[in-house]
């Protein structure tokens, strides 16, 4: 076997045994089944009574299990090589506890250290030993290996730290090596006092004086029976092999003492095998149970050991960027460890951000989910409601103040509004994600990956049209299935296309001319192309362009457009996928156009699916950041909240729900108002994820409600009209109709609603009390005042407590509609029940699209309504709760890969433009400090 093959087998074995079996092999049933057998196995026939170690350990485990039913003491053993004596020791340990043994076929130093690191970090492991000696064809630094084991898990007591504690007498805070510990236990069982341990050159003479003799020379049958003092206690620690033709293996195990003659003189003697070995194993089990007990004393199972930042609040509240820079984030690797991630599941991007691998979800798959909370808002106004700030404040309150495991999950903001008119999206005041610059700019490059992938599809579409228009079937076929080393064969993606066409042939030379024609001709109708190029910049002049103007395109030009990157279907795919395999399937079934016969043309037909998956392989991993107070945040995906579903990724939510555990909380944010982001969260995101939410947090402000009550319009840079800064209960009461309607919208789905009223200094107590009263009358579980912008988590403490209580309340989650209903019926249900429309009106183009998509097999997809976010109706000027309107459906489009149809209500721009004075006027880099200035 070559070294490279050995290395591959080692890797395969490592993945199989350590990652799969080890981490799941701690079932208490194994302990219960094995312990009685072990008790019998370690009975020393030459002693007068059974040892009491195992029954005692079994009782201790039972006590731990009674207090913490899901707690499972765990022991791991790492073996390098295949020594006979090591195998014998390990076979004894296999009878004592559930364990996994790494038996590498070839030894590579980095693999052993990686394995040790993984075991050190795994909270399911409380005892961990490296079986010595290390058997390898390369030199090994044994001290370095044993010292790599975490001292608190070093149940063999071999690390320098444990040896040092032992030498200074810290017996309650260290582990004693198991063999000496076992010897002492055996001596204790005899009831005799220890005289001395033998280490001298005058062997026979000194041995004959010993009342207690412990032999660990490593030399077969070195001590003769006639040396033994009559009645002495003999403890033989040796494991040696001598030839024996009567054994199948040709050898047998003996100790360092000639047992056959020594037993005639000794009062007590340990046999080999079966003496010290079982006692050593018993001490190993005892140390492991002790380690588990120490673990429980320091850590509560399921609770993170996490450090929170203490906020120093200032009045007036400084700018967001000033606050962000005044707090030093914890090293992101430290945060990852605090929340239960292991090092091999985290890819660091500097000190403040990291990607979390999907292997974490696989490792935690059997762990129960935490509580799932979605933050949404009333219909947005230019005055702002503060959903992102509330999301962060609530997470900080639950974590830093109520000491609950909590994760916030939010979307990654687009570069377009960051440099355009809106600015950042990290929250604000003392409730934000830090560092804000990293959050709002490139982060880890996910949006750039989506840009590249989207434009690759666009390029593939036009290139395919061009080549089909300029080549014969035979020329196309020759180029699409080229000769490589004299052989012509189909790629995997081409085989999928053949199967889609009903062609079952695998040999390229056997296709008929008709089959060849069907295979090479996508026959795209350019007027049906729905796929656009993208750019993550607001650029109004790309809203409509003409492509193919170069002479090399031979006159094949067409009108096209650019969308902003976050409007790409690939962004929606990223947000809704649950893994790499699912993402590849979704990317492959994206429909980019129709053929001239009306058949859908997909990215799989274009042959680009695999390349898209490669471009997206890192973007699929959620990004880990933190809030000001040190609670974890996943920042992942950022789909448009109008033409897409406007929620962060399913994967981020799923990993977070596993990490927080059954009693923890995941707070995720839905874009725009409850009629858009929340409705899509329930009907699209939850439908695909299979997750059921526990609480809706509905965010409102007195100012915004006054605008819904008929308050005057506001203009940037102009002081607010007095209606918004002075008490006006009637105006506020009128506007609370919008709050009531959004509460009703949430309750349609069967979920309790907690209203968060963001307080401004101009709000009066009477106004705040009125909002709370009307919210409860509308069916809210509770309504609380929040000051988290000015006070951080402390200001959202009442909200967090209300959310905790609401999460325990009865809920009956249900979807708004059955996807099997006709497309028009699903649209009507949303329009009437969520928006309050009297009915819908289908434009001819929309009606034709519904017929086409139903014919193409897409009629059973959920609906993602694309309408203005500024009103419950299609008219952004109609505030409050509009009545008596018919919702116009101008067009219907399909995001088949993402998995929804999106009707267009009115004109929907997918490429924002820059204002007269964009934000970039104020943005610059300090060349000395390298700080970004003017971004917020």
């Amino acid at each position: 076997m070559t070294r490279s093959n050995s290395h591959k087998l080692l890797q395969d074995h490592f993945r199989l045994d350590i990652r799969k079996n080890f981490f799941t092999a701690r079932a208490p049933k194994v302990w219960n089944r094995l312990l009685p057998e072990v008790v019998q196995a370690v009975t020393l026939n030459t002693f007068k009574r059974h040892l009491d170690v195992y029954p005692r350990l079994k009782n201790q485990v039972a006590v731990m299990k009674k207090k913490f039913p899901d707690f499972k003491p765990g022991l791991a053993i790492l073996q390098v090589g295949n020594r006979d004596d090591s195998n014998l020791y390990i076979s004894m340990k296999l009878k004592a506890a559930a364990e996994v043994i790494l038996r590498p076929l070839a030894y590579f130093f980095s693999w052993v250290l990686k394995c040790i690191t993984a075991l050190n970090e795994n909270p399911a492991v409380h005892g961990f030993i490296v079986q010595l000696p290390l058997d390898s064809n390369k030199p090994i630094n044994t001290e370095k290996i044993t010292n790599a084991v975490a001292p608190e898990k070093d149940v063999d007591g071999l690390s320098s730290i444990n040896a040092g504690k032992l030498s200074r007498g810290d017996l309650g805070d260290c582990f004693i090596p198991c063999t000496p510990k076992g010897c002492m236990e055996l001596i204790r069982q005899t009831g005799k006092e220890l005289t001395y341990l033998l280490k001298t050159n005058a062997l026979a003479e000194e041995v004959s004086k010993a009342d207690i003799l412990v032999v660990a020379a490593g030399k077969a049958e070195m001590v003769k029976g006639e040396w033994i003092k009559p009645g002495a206690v003999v403890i033989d620690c040796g494991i040696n092999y001598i030839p024996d033709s009567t054994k199948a293996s040709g050898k047998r195990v003996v100790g360092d003492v000639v047992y056959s003659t020594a037993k005639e003189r000794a009062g007590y003697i340990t046999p080999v095998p079966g003496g010290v070995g079982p006692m050593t194993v018993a001490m190993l089990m005892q140390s492991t149970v002790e380690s588990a007990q120490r673990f429980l004393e320091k850590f509560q199972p399921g609770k993170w050991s996490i450090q929170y930042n203490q906020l120093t609040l200032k009045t007036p509240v400084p700018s967001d960027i000033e606050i962000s820079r005044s707090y030093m984030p914890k090293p992101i690797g430290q945060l990852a460890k605090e929340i239960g991630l292991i090092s091999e599941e985290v890819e660091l991007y500097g000190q403040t951000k990291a990607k979390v691998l999907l292997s974490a979800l696989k490792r935690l798959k059997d762990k129960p989910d935490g509580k799932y909370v979605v933050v949404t808002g009333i219909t947005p106004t230019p005055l702002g409601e503060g959903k992102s700030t509330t999301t962060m404040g609530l997470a900080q309150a639950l974590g830093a103040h109520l000491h609950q495991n909590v994760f916030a999950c939010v979307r990654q903001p687009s570069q377009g509004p960051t440099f355009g008119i809106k600015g950042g999206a990290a929250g604000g005041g003392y409730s934000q994600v830090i560092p804000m610059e990293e959050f709002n700019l490139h982060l880890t490059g996910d949006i750039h990956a989506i840009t590249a992938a989207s434009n690759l599809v666009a390029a593939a579409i036009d290139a395919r049209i061009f080549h089909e228009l300029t080549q014969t079937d035979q020329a196309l076929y020759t180029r699409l299935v080229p000769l490589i080393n004299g052989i012509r064969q189909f790629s995997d993606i081409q085989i999928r296309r053949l199967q889609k066409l009903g062609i079952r042939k695998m040999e390229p030379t056997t296709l008929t001319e008709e089959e060849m024609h069907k295979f090479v001709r996508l026959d795209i109708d350019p007027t049906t192309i729905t796929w656009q190029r993208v750019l993550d910049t607001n650029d109004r002049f790309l809203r409509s362009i003409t492509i193919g103007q170069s002479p090399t395109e031979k006159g094949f030009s067409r009108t096209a457009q650019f969308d902003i990157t976050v409007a790409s279907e690939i962004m929606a795919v990223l947000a809704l996928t649950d893994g790499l395999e699912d993402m590849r399937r979704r990317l492959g079934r994206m429909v980019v156009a129709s053929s001239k016969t009306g058949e859908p043309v997909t990215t799989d037909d274009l042959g680009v699916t695999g390349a898209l998956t490669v471009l997206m392989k890192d973007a699929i991993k959620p990004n880990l950041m933190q809030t000001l107070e040190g609670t974890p945040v996943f920042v992942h995906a950022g789909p448009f909240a109008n033409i897409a579903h406007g929620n962060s990724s399913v994967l981020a939510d799923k990993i977070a729900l596993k990490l927080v555990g059954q009693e923890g909380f995941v707070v995720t944010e839905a874009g725009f108002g409850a009629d858009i982001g929340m409705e899509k969260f329930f009907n699209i995101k939850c439908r695909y994820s299979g997750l059921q939410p526990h609480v809706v947090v509905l965010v409102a402000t007195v100012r915004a409600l006054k605008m819904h009550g008929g308050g005057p319009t506001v203009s940037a840079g102009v002081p607010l009209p007095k209606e918004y800064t002075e008490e006006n209960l009637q105006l506020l009461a009128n506007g609370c109709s919008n709050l009531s309607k959004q509460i009703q919208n949430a309750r349609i789905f069967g979920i309790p609603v907690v209203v968060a009223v963001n307080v401004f200094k101009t709000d009066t107590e009477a106004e705040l009390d009125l909002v709370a009263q009307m919210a409860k009358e509308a069916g809210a579980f509770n309504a609380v005042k929040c000051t988290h912008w000015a006070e951080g988590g402390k200001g959202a403490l009442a909200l967090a407590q209300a959310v905790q209580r609401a999460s325990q309340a009865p809920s009956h989650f249900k979807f708004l509609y059955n996807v099997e209903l006709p497309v028009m019926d699903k649209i009507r249900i949303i329009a009437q029940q969520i928006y309050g429309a009297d009915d819908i009106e289908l434009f001819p183009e929309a009606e034709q699209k519904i017929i086409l998509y139903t014919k193409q097999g897409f009629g059973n997809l959920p609906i993602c309504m694309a309408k203005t976010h500024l009103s419950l109706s299609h008219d952004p000027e109609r505030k409050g709760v509009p009545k008596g309107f018919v919702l116009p459906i101008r067009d219907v489009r399909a995001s088949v890969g993402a998995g929804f149809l999106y009707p267009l209500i009115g004109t929907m721009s997918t490429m924002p433009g820059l204002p007269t004075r964009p934000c970039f006027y104020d943005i610059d880099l300090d060349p000395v400090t390298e700080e970004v200035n003017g971004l917020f």
Side-chain angles (χ1 to χ4, degrees), residues 674-676 678-679 682 738-750 753 816 830 832-836 872:
D675 56 307
I676 298 181
M678 182 196 70
E679 181 270 315
F682 289 137
N738 186 271
L739 174 64
S740 299
K741 174 57 178 168
Q742 299 291 28
I743 292 171
Q744 293 166 14
N745 284 343
R747 295 192 67 200
I748 287 174
F749 296 92
V753 182
L816 184 65
I830 296 173
Q832 292 179 334
Q833 295 196 35
I834 301 298
Y835 307 153
L872 284 164

Side-chain angles (χ1 to χ4, degrees), residues 321 325 418-421 423 917-926 931-936:
I321 189 64
R325 287 179 179 168
T418 297
F419 287 104
I421 193 170
R917 191 185 189 283
C919 294
F920 61 65
Y921 272 80
D922 302 309
I923 298 172
D924 201 355
L925 183 73
D926 187 317
E931 285 188 341
V932 177
N933 296 320
L935 190 58
F936 313 103

Side-chain angles (χ1 to χ4, degrees), residues 535-598:
L535 188 70
D536 196 38
T537 301
N538 292 357
D539 192 344
R540 68 177 66 248
F541 285 92
L542 295 178
R543 290 170 178 170
S544 181
I545 59 174
T546 302
I547 61 173
Q549 301 244 338
S550 169
T552 56
E553 274 53 76
K554 302 180 181 180
F556 298 111
S557 64
R558 67 180 182 89
T559 300
Q561 71 181 60
F562 270 80
D563 293 338
I564 196 163
T565 297
V566 291
S568 168
E569 183 177 352
I570 295 179
M571 176 62 89
V573 166
L574 176 65
L576 290 172
T577 190
D578 65 5
L580 270 172
E581 186 176 344
D582 177 66
M583 183 175 71
R584 185 170 63 177
R585 282 196 300 267
R586 288 175 179 269
L587 292 173
R589 66 176 184 243
M590 294 188 302
V591 174
V592 299
S594 295
S595 70
K596 291 174 183 175
T597 59

Side-chain angles (χ1 to χ4, degrees), residues 311-365:
L311 298 181
T312 303
L313 305 177
K314 294 182 179 180
T315 304
V317 177
S319 67
D320 291 348
I321 189 64
E322 184 179 344
I323 293 173
S324 175
R325 287 179 179 168
S326 64
Y327 291 92
M328 179 66 68
K330 290 180 289 188
I332 201 67
Q334 175 187 330
L335 176 63
K337 184 176 180 181
E338 289 175 343
I339 62 176
L341 289 165
I342 60 179
S343 58
E344 63 181 20
E345 295 168 347
V346 181
E347 292 177 350
L348 302 181
Y349 281 64
Q351 290 297 308
T352 60
K353 54 189 177 180
K355 278 196 167 291
V356 175
L357 278 63
L358 305 191
S359 57
L361 186 58
K362 184 177 180 180
R363 174 174 65 88
L364 300 168
K365 63 182 177 63

